[in-house]
Amino acid sequence: MAQHFDLVLRGGTLVLPWGVEQADVGVRGGRIAAIGDLRIVHAADEVDCRGLHVLPGLIDSHVHLREPGDASVETIATGTKAAILGGLTAVFDMPNTNPSITNRDQLDWKRGYVTGHAYCDMGLYVGAAKSNIAQLAELEAEPNVCAIKVFAGSSTGDLLVEDDESLERVMRSGRRRICYHSEDEYRLQARKPDYHSGMPHRMHAVWRDVECALLGTRRLMTLARKTGRPAHILHVSTAEELDYLKDYRDLATVELLLNHLTQTDEAYDRLGGYAVMNPPIRDERHLKAAWAAVADGTVDTVGSDHAPHSRAAKERPWPDCAAGLTGVQTIVPLMLDHVSAGRLTLSRLADLMCAGPARVYGVVGKGRLAAGYDADFTVVDMKRQRTIEESWIVSPCGWTPFAGHRCTGWPVMTILRGQAVMREDEVLGAPLGAPVRFAG
Ligand code: DOR
């Protein structure tokens, strides 16, 4: 009997876990049903993928979509629309909203809100605060929670757990991998008086220096070793931490940001406040170390840390300007451009943005082009050349630090659980996003 599929992707070059091969993919009921030669099968719908690469749906495991918060900057609807336009099928959303997501009621609200508002699937972080440490074990076991997020150094919002005693209590409440913003708060505060309004933006990397990041990571890993609690060190930004963390791979996984793989401190003079983020963009030495860590396997995930702010907030003089850069819509084109430049392969990209997040966070049913997995696909044209323009950005804040960057390689289609949700810059239909499932 002939097999029937809802959708067949024909003739694409598939980025499979075991290699890159040309084959067809059959989809049934929102999941991958077959991979191989499907020329004789019936399909309700077909997409001609000849000349294109088909990746597992790419995941940005680090975004700030700001809802609840300031809708003139970003919302779940606009941020996830940006995600699918940029070729992502899932994002994991940070808890430093206004108010922050730190309790069950807020989590319930957010989980319920995803359906009907989100254009891609979403994992949800819960924020650690000194007031909710005793509840963290329960909160991390809630459905759709990707991880507990700890700001061990202060950044945007009011979440902060900076002292060793509280951090140890956090580590002893629960057992899943904890995600850390690792900058040493004591060093940050002690040196703050040395800096004043109107200093050049590049002072951001002097204030939040290498020592600040390394000290933060050392303190966290000492406590992680003491408690045995696994850690995901977010946005590692220094050569020194990447070297140091190689001795903690039994406990630690590592995230790098697209920005730290793409920008260096020349950006401060060119972009002013639009180059300011935490941890900061640093010099060429750290960028080179970041790529070496991609090459040697130290890095598990790459995210955007999409952190929209109003233009007014970014244009205040340093250090009063808001820290954080947009990136959810541009991470895939820029990573494809890095592939085109020979800095990594498409297989390593799928490892960093599909299999990596799946492994680190325990995602169920995603992150792999394989039978039975969700039919999430990012279809890319590696020959397409296109310049990133601000007019393309759909986040209401309306800016990108990468305007004018010419990319070779571009996402042309995003397919979410078997439904085409973006094709050639067009958002197709209503928001179909659902909460991501995690093995608790
Ligand atoms: O630059 C940053 N912006 N780093 C963070 O850790 C938070 C983020 C934000 O939410 O604005």
Side-chain angles (χ1 to χ4, degrees):
M1 197 179 78
Q3 286 180 296
H4 180 86
F5 296 98
D6 303 328
L7 172 69
V8 171
L9 307 187
R10 293 221 181 266
T13 304
L14 311 183
V15 182
L16 297 163
W18 48 87
V20 177
E21 292 172 16
Q22 191 172 9
D24 306 322
V25 185
V27 174
R28 198 183 302 120
R31 294 194 292 152
I32 297 170
I35 293 174
D37 182 349
L38 304 178
R39 266 175 297 191
I40 57 161
V41 305
H42 299 289
D45 202 1
E46 302 202 353
V47 180
D48 182 359
C49 291
R50 283 172 300 171
L52 304 174
H53 285 83
V54 180
L55 293 131
L58 295 169
I59 299 170
D60 185 346
S61 49
H62 193 154
V63 303
H64 300 261
L65 299 189
R66 306 291 192 221
E67 194 163 355
D70 182 355
S72 71
V73 165
E74 190 70 290
T75 62
I76 284 176
T78 55
T80 53
K81 196 178 269 190
I84 61 168
L85 282 165
L88 298 164
T89 55
V91 296
F92 299 172
D93 190 29
M94 286 291 172
N96 58 332
T97 44
N98 187 12
S100 299
I101 304 296
T102 52
N103 65 40
R104 188 189 296 255
D105 287 349
Q106 288 156 336
L107 182 62
D108 283 346
W109 168 81
K110 193 162 173 179
R111 184 192 295 121
Y113 189 80
V114 166
T115 306
H117 292 91
Y119 285 83
C120 68
D121 288 354
M122 286 182 71
L124 309 177
Y125 286 92
V126 169
K130 285 177 195 159
S131 56
N132 73 355
I133 296 177
Q135 288 87 54
L136 291 176
E138 275 171 41
L139 287 166
E140 73 166 9
E142 286 280 313
N144 318 117
V145 171
C146 57
I148 299 297
K149 166 73 181 280
V150 176
F151 282 89
S154 52
S155 193
T156 302
D158 57 9
L159 291 175
L160 182 64
V161 182
E162 78 280 36
D163 63 288
D164 283 6
E165 194 196 324
S166 304
L167 285 166
E168 183 171 339
R169 283 176 55 223
V170 168
M171 291 183 199
R172 294 197 189 280
S173 179
R175 53 173 195 80
R176 291 176 66 194
R177 190 175 296 277
I178 298 175
C179 291
Y180 295 99
H181 180 118
S182 168
E183 288 181 285
D184 187 82
E185 183 65 12
Y186 300 104
R187 184 172 171 85
L188 275 182
Q189 295 310 331
R191 298 175 77 232
K192 205 171 183 179
D194 299 346
Y195 304 97
H196 56 79
S197 188
M199 281 182 157
H201 291 92
R202 60 172 55 243
M203 295 308 281
H204 197 62
V206 179
W207 173 40
R208 292 179 174 258
D209 64 354
V210 170
E211 186 57 22
C212 181
L214 182 60
L215 204 57
T217 296
R218 275 207 195 115
R219 277 181 51 217
L220 288 169
M221 293 318 302
T222 302
L223 292 169
R225 178 71 76 220
K226 182 174 174 192
T227 58
R229 186 78 187 264
H232 189 42
I233 306 295
L234 299 171
H235 41 47
V236 176
S237 62
T238 65
E240 284 77 357
E241 287 168 282
L242 289 166
D243 194 34
Y244 172 81
L245 284 166
K246 287 183 176 59
D247 287 334
Y248 287 87
R249 294 292 280 158
D250 55 326
L251 281 171
T253 50
V254 172
E255 178 198 71
L256 286 191
L257 298 185
L258 178 276
N259 305 74
H260 294 131
L261 287 165
T262 311
Q263 296 169 296
T264 59
D265 52 0
E266 67 73 33
Y268 292 112
D269 296 336
R270 193 164 44 86
L271 298 172
Y274 295 99
V276 171
M277 62 183 292
N278 302 331
I281 292 166
R282 305 189 194 274
D283 63 34
E284 184 84 23
R285 181 172 74 84
H286 299 287
L287 181 129
K288 281 193 176 137
W291 280 111
V294 168
D296 74 11
T298 304
V299 185
D300 295 281
T301 66
V302 169
S304 72
D305 196 355
H306 174 73
H309 293 278
S310 70
R311 286 185 191 271
K314 293 302 280 178
E315 287 170 12
R316 288 196 294 259
W318 188 84
D320 308 317
C321 59
L325 302 177
T326 62
V328 71
Q329 198 170 333
T330 48
I331 186 172
V332 177
L334 287 160
M335 286 304 289
L336 294 177
D337 193 47
H338 285 308
V339 170
S340 298
R343 296 186 187 103
L344 77 169
T345 61
L346 280 176
S347 291
R348 182 66 169 125
L349 177 59
D351 187 44
L352 292 167
M353 295 188 69
C354 306
R359 181 178 71 247
V360 167
Y361 294 84
V363 177
V364 173
K366 291 187 186 292
R368 205 172 154 83
L369 268 193
Y373 277 68
D374 283 357
D376 296 341
F377 308 109
T378 302
V379 183
V380 307
D381 182 351
M382 291 308 291
K383 294 180 295 303
R384 182 84 55 98
Q385 293 201 323
R386 182 167 163 180
T387 301
I388 293 174
E389 287 166 10
E390 270 180 357
S391 58
W392 177 61
I393 298 297
V394 297
S395 294
C397 67
W399 54 269
T400 163
F402 296 108
H405 189 113
R406 188 150 182 84
C407 295
T408 301
W410 199 267
V412 294
M413 195 169 186
T414 308
I415 299 173
L416 181 62
R417 285 175 279 104
Q419 300 281 323
V421 292
M422 182 283 284
R423 189 164 201 172
E424 296 288 359
D425 270 1
E426 197 185 340
V427 173
L428 306 170
L432 293 180
V436 173
R437 290 176 301 139
F438 298 89

